[in-house]
Amino acid sequence: MRGVDYVLKRIFFAIVTVFVAITLNFVLFRTLPGDAIQALRCRACTQEFKDALRHDLGLDKSKLEQYRLYVADLAHGDLGSSLRSQQPVRSDLWEPIKNTMAMIAMGTFFSILLGVIVGVISAWRRGTWADRTGLWTGLTFYSMPPQWLGLIIVLYLATWLGLPTSGIKDPLIGLLEDASTWDVFVDRIRHMLLPAATLGLVLFGQYALIVRSSMLETLGEDYVLTARAKGLSNWTTVWRHGFRNALLPIVTLVALSLGFIIGGSITIEYVFSYPGIGLAVVEAIDQRDFPILQGAFLILTLSVIFFNLVADLLYYRLDPRIQ
Amino acid sequence: MSTAVEIAESAKTPSSPPKGFFRSVVLGQRQAVVGLAVITAFVIIAFLAPLIAPNPKERLGETFTPPGGEFPLGLDGGGADMMKLLIAGTQVSLIVGFAAAGVSALIGGLVGLVSGYFGGKTDNVLMRFTDYVLVIPDVPLMVVAAALFGRSLTNIVIIIGVIYWTSTARIIRAQVMSVRERVYVRRARSLGAGHMRLLRKHVLPQIAPLLVANTVLLVAYAIFAETFITFLGLGDPSLISWGRLIQNAFTDDAILNDAWWAIVPPGVCVAIIVLASTLVGQSIEDALNPRLAVGHLSVRRFGLRVLPQRPSRGERGATAPPPSGASAGGKGRR
């Protein structure tokens, strides 16, 4: 059973990676000269208070003991408490995670849609001006810093499109009268559109490239030739035989570019003041709130590992050839 | 002993990379010429920066004075000349780009070389480790590291370099593994050439062009990464870089002042140099690895199959086909 073998191997790899990530997280945050308490920006804090805080957080124990405690806490889903709000990190980050997920999902959807369209057209009409224009546009957007593209969109497009450029909620909605669920939903979507569009524009180039090359590869396969010989129309051949197979690498690519997607979303959220995990990270950096930063980093890493695993398994499911 | 080896080797030394390899790459591909010219221009500007743009942060007039007359790009939110800031920024951004790319080429090259050359257990351990590092999202890691280690140029260079080595390691390893098994290397080995000699005389020259191509691409990613880190307020506070200019435009509310001249130029510079590096890096890669540019029909004739490319985060567009289907890929696509 090679199939089961493959799945087990991927799962094992993911589990080990999780431990590597946890250890890295621990090492990064706990082995620095000084510690979180020392870095805390707090003029009124006395030495006694800091020592007490250090004791509370277990920072006065040995590194090994700290590591054991850290892993044990994580196993219980405990990410520590924010130094600022004194709330558990988990509850502080829960809302931002949901917001970010929604935005990233929308942005990735945009980028895949655009990438597939451009990639298919480029492959179909390869060597023509359509091919060149599409790919160069994608590559150019791909070369732009996401935060800068966000600023440009705010500067030139936002007013023209009449879309909100900051926050996630119109403060006026539901203020005077009760807003319907539908209105709230539409308002949410409107706030998500610009950040998601920025993310989509920055990302679509690489999807276009990969769709194009895998389309070109599949279009040269014998079964495509057979389809043509059978007399299927051009469109049916491209759609049914070329495109469906060409879509496979996208699954892998989305998973692999998750690090970049998340990185881009951090700065994009900052530009649009979108209250996601990126904005939480920026605020945590600003206030030297290390538990939040550590928690956010761990969550981001774990979700990347998780989605990589999902992509691997999905790929296995979609492409019987690996079996 | 070494003379015997030398004579045997000189009898039939492999001729690739052939003489004038880079010349043929550069002359053969228009995009490489354009990319190289752009990079050279920026490098020259970076070197001349202290002469043509001294005291870039000096206040010269009203905040957000529009372009025109004395100031072709206007003044920024602090009343400083945007042109001068941009030139000074070129220097810092390029320093970060080249230094960080150097660091990661060094680490990645070394890991790839050792892993590919010695193979076996060494390879296993190193590549497992690389795999794990590859999965950790790079930008968040950079941001966290920059936040923890403090805001200085050296720190940023080291952080970017240390995080971006993985893709280099993988690419170099693959190449070394194939070079290692070539007949002339095996022959030199059987004649008693030591590891150092084999690596220096036979393996390194073969992978050098690939390493160069990869490093050129890494320069672009490093410049890109610097804008991320700086935008989040983690850059060196005393230095002006392109990333810093974007951040300044944002924090000084250039948008509310409708000051496009403070926002547009730094991003355009980043995009241009990233695009240029991509062009050069890909041209070298295409020249080295014709398989990427060959259509699958001719590949299959030799019983080979283009493996599903798995571009990693670090390489981004690197393994993808050349951008302009007509000029580079067109030759072999049919």
Side-chain angles (χ1 to χ4, degrees):
Chain A
M1 284 296 277
R2 284 186 57 206
V4 175
D5 227 42
Y6 173 81
V7 171
L8 284 180
K9 240 185 201 158
R10 297 322 302 173
I11 293 175
F12 177 72
F13 175 75
I15 292 172
V16 178
T17 320
V18 166
F19 273 96
V20 172
I22 290 174
T23 312
L24 176 72
N25 210 323
F26 176 82
V27 169
L28 265 181
F29 281 85
R30 298 287 174 91
T31 53
L32 284 173
D35 54 37
I37 306 302
Q38 207 175 319
L40 187 66
R41 272 186 194 158
C42 164
R43 281 205 195 88
C45 299
T46 60
Q47 190 58 41
E48 287 79 44
F49 175 76
K50 283 188 172 178
D51 283 343
L53 207 55
R54 214 168 258 149
H55 183 73
D56 278 355
L57 292 169
L59 291 176
D60 49 357
K61 295 194 177 68
S62 78
K63 294 286 181 219
L64 206 67
E65 180 67 10
Q66 284 186 39
Y67 180 67
R68 204 185 58 74
L69 284 174
Y70 178 62
V71 175
D73 280 349
L74 283 182
H76 292 103
D78 181 4
L79 290 168
S81 301
S82 159
L83 291 179
R84 284 279 146 168
S85 66
Q86 297 297 329
Q87 296 293 312
V89 169
R90 198 169 51 158
S91 62
D92 259 16
L93 288 180
W94 180 235
E95 199 62 32
I97 289 169
K98 282 193 293 184
N99 292 340
T100 296
M101 288 284 225
M103 198 269 279
I104 285 184
M106 199 182 203
T108 309
F109 173 74
F110 283 156
S111 61
I112 292 179
L113 191 73
L114 214 56
V116 164
I117 293 174
V118 172
V120 168
I121 292 177
S122 293
W124 199 3
R125 299 259 172 269
R126 69 176 173 284
T128 64
W129 66 267
D131 182 12
R132 258 162 282 157
T133 320
L135 288 178
W136 273 103
T137 317
L139 208 69
T140 308
F141 276 117
Y142 195 51
S143 308
M144 296 174 180
Q147 69 272 27
W148 179 78
L149 185 62
L151 290 175
I152 295 294
I153 287 180
V154 173
L155 185 65
Y156 289 112
L157 280 180
T159 342
W160 182 64
L161 290 170
L163 286 169
T165 57
S166 82
I168 193 174
K169 197 167 149 271
D170 192 334
L172 295 177
I173 277 207
L175 198 63
L176 296 177
E177 71 239 51
D178 277 346
S180 65
T181 325
W182 174 248
D183 283 345
V184 173
F185 178 73
V186 170
D187 183 53
R188 272 280 165 110
I189 298 289
R190 275 166 50 86
H191 279 85
M192 264 163 46
L193 271 176
L194 285 184
T198 312
L199 198 59
L201 281 176
V202 172
L203 288 171
F204 90 91
Q206 54 173 348
Y207 298 137
L209 280 177
I210 212 83
V211 169
R212 178 179 181 277
S213 66
S214 79
M215 271 289 278
L216 282 178
E217 208 183 307
T218 24
L219 284 182
E221 294 279 357
D222 291 340
Y223 58 80
V224 173
L225 195 67
T226 315
R228 271 184 216 261
K230 277 197 302 194
L232 288 186
S233 72
N234 224 339
W235 173 244
T236 325
T237 319
V238 168
W239 179 252
R240 282 243 295 265
H241 296 277
F243 175 66
R244 285 170 132 201
N245 282 304
L247 215 55
L248 280 173
I250 282 204
V251 177
T252 314
L253 193 62
V254 169
L256 280 172
S257 52
L258 264 179
F260 181 69
I261 296 178
I262 287 173
S265 75
I266 292 179
T267 53
I268 290 174
E269 281 175 8
Y270 186 27
V271 169
F272 290 96
S273 313
Y274 184 86
I277 201 154
L279 200 63
V281 164
V282 176
E283 278 165 4
I285 290 172
D286 202 40
Q287 301 168 342
R288 294 285 180 273
D289 193 342
F290 284 166
I292 289 272
L293 196 59
Q294 187 178 21
F297 179 56
L298 188 69
I299 290 172
L300 291 178
T301 314
L302 293 189
S303 43
V304 168
I305 295 170
F306 174 72
F307 284 111
N308 264 301
L309 179 66
V310 170
D312 274 339
L313 299 183
L314 203 64
Y315 203 86
Y316 169 77
R317 189 89 184 82
L318 290 176
D319 191 353
R321 279 173 292 190
I322 331 184
Q323 298 169 26
Chain B
M1 166 220 130
S2 75
T3 43
V5 174
E6 258 165 46
I7 291 164
E9 281 169 358
S10 65
K12 212 179 171 195
T13 316
S15 54
S16 72
K19 250 190 187 166
F21 171 77
F22 277 100
R23 245 187 77 199
S24 73
V25 170
V26 169
L27 295 183
Q29 300 201 28
R30 227 177 350 167
Q31 43 171 337
V33 180
V34 176
L36 219 53
V38 170
I39 295 176
T40 316
F42 273 119
V43 169
I44 292 173
I45 292 175
F47 268 110
L48 295 179
L51 292 176
I52 42 181
N55 302 324
K57 284 189 267 189
E58 193 185 355
R59 195 184 174 93
L60 294 172
E62 281 291 298
T63 48
F64 292 128
T65 307
E70 205 186 333
F71 310 115
L73 281 176
L75 301 182
D76 83 337
D81 186 359
M82 269 309 286
M83 197 67 194
K84 273 186 174 178
L85 287 171
L86 213 55
I87 292 170
T90 309
Q91 192 182 30
V92 174
S93 283
L94 286 193
I95 289 176
V96 171
F98 279 96
V103 170
S104 56
L106 196 72
I107 304 177
L110 212 62
V111 171
L113 204 63
V114 169
S115 185
Y117 181 78
F118 291 105
K121 268 216 180 89
T122 324
D123 178 40
N124 224 330
V125 171
L126 283 175
M127 282 303 113
R128 271 295 147 76
F129 180 64
T130 313
D131 277 346
Y132 295 130
V133 180
L134 261 172
V135 184
I136 311 286
D138 48 6
V139 177
L141 180 56
M142 270 186 258
V143 169
V144 166
L148 290 174
F149 290 108
R151 322 192 310 169
S152 84
L153 194 69
T154 333
N155 278 352
I156 290 179
V157 166
I158 294 174
I159 288 167
I160 297 177
V162 165
I163 289 171
Y164 273 161
W165 62 270
T166 42
S167 62
T168 315
R170 282 218 151 264
I171 294 171
I172 295 300
R173 168 183 171 266
Q175 186 73 8
V176 170
M177 282 174 87
S178 93
V179 170
R180 187 186 60 174
E181 292 308 322
R182 287 186 194 163
V183 180
Y184 66 89
V185 180
R186 295 227 296 253
R187 188 171 54 216
R189 195 184 305 143
S190 66
L191 282 167
H195 291 310
M196 278 319 280
R197 181 179 179 84
L198 281 175
L199 281 173
R200 208 161 35 88
K201 291 277 297 187
H202 297 293
V203 178
L204 258 184
Q206 295 288 312
I207 59 162
L210 193 66
L211 196 58
V212 171
N214 200 253
T215 310
V216 173
L217 287 171
L218 281 172
V219 170
Y221 304 146
I223 290 177
F224 209 84
E226 190 269 342
T227 70
F228 272 123
I229 296 174
T230 313
F231 189 70
L232 299 181
L234 295 169
D236 193 322
S238 62
L239 293 174
I240 296 289
S241 68
W242 289 336
R244 181 74 189 285
L245 292 178
I246 300 176
Q247 189 215 358
N248 280 352
F250 179 60
T251 48
D252 292 349
D253 282 330
I255 291 181
L256 288 182
N257 292 287
D258 238 351
W260 59 266
W261 56 91
I263 307 171
V264 178
V268 171
C269 285
V270 175
I272 289 177
I273 200 146
V274 172
L275 220 52
S277 307
T278 315
L279 289 186
V280 175
Q282 278 187 349
S283 303
I284 305 178
E285 269 185 357
D286 289 347
L288 286 172
N289 189 358
R291 255 177 68 188
L292 287 178
V294 173
H296 92 286
L297 276 180
S298 44
V299 171
R300 226 170 27 166
R301 198 169 302 147
F302 297 105
L304 284 172
R305 184 157 267 283
V306 179
L307 295 167
Q309 296 287 331
R310 288 183 48 121
S312 52
R313 291 168 294 119
E315 339 163 18
R316 302 210 315 209
T319 47
S324 62
S327 62
K331 279 173 264 164
R333 284 243 188 268
R334 277 258 156 194

